[in-house]
Amino acid sequence: MGRTVKMVSKSAVALLIIAIAASIYIMKNNLGAIPGLDFGCGQYYYTDVPNWQYIFSGRGYTPSGNILLYIALFFLWGILMYNVWVFLDKSLR
């Protein structure tokens, strides 16, 4: 069991290093930005972009779905992840 924890820890550190390297590469090469729209440091925050609903949702924006359903799913996801965390914590000890 101790060997598994060490392997998972090393994998997590490797994944963190890969994520940091990928983030630096994306920022350095200005990937993911919309051509012709330069908002400086806030360009990755879509609320800084005027008419972001129109730009990111195709031709116009119409809200869909039920907001209460989305909120309920968010909380259910949180409860599920908490239970998984507790289960993993107990089983890895």
Side-chain angles (χ1 to χ4, degrees):
M1 177 121 35
R3 183 177 176 182
T4 304
V5 172
K6 286 183 182 182
M7 185 179 71
V8 169
S9 296
K10 288 180 182 180
S11 299
V13 170
L15 184 62
L16 176 66
I17 291 170
I18 291 169
I20 290 171
S23 298
I24 291 171
Y25 176 79
I26 289 169
M27 289 187 293
K28 182 176 184 264
N29 292 312
N30 203 23
L31 301 176
I34 299 172
L37 291 178
D38 184 15
F39 293 95
C41 297
Q43 67 185 353
Y44 292 104
Y45 296 101
Y46 299 138
T47 56
D48 291 347
V49 179
N51 291 330
W52 67 271
Q53 296 95 338
Y54 181 79
I55 293 170
F56 293 105
S57 298
R59 308 304 291 175
Y61 173 74
T62 54
S64 63
N66 184 349
I67 190 68
L68 293 178
L69 174 66
Y70 298 144
I71 292 171
L73 288 174
F74 174 77
F75 280 106
L76 287 173
W77 178 256
I79 292 168
L80 175 69
M81 289 300 105
Y82 174 77
N83 289 330
V84 168
W85 193 329
V86 168
F87 171 76
L88 287 174
D89 190 43
K90 288 179 182 176
S91 65
L92 291 176
R93 284 190 183 184

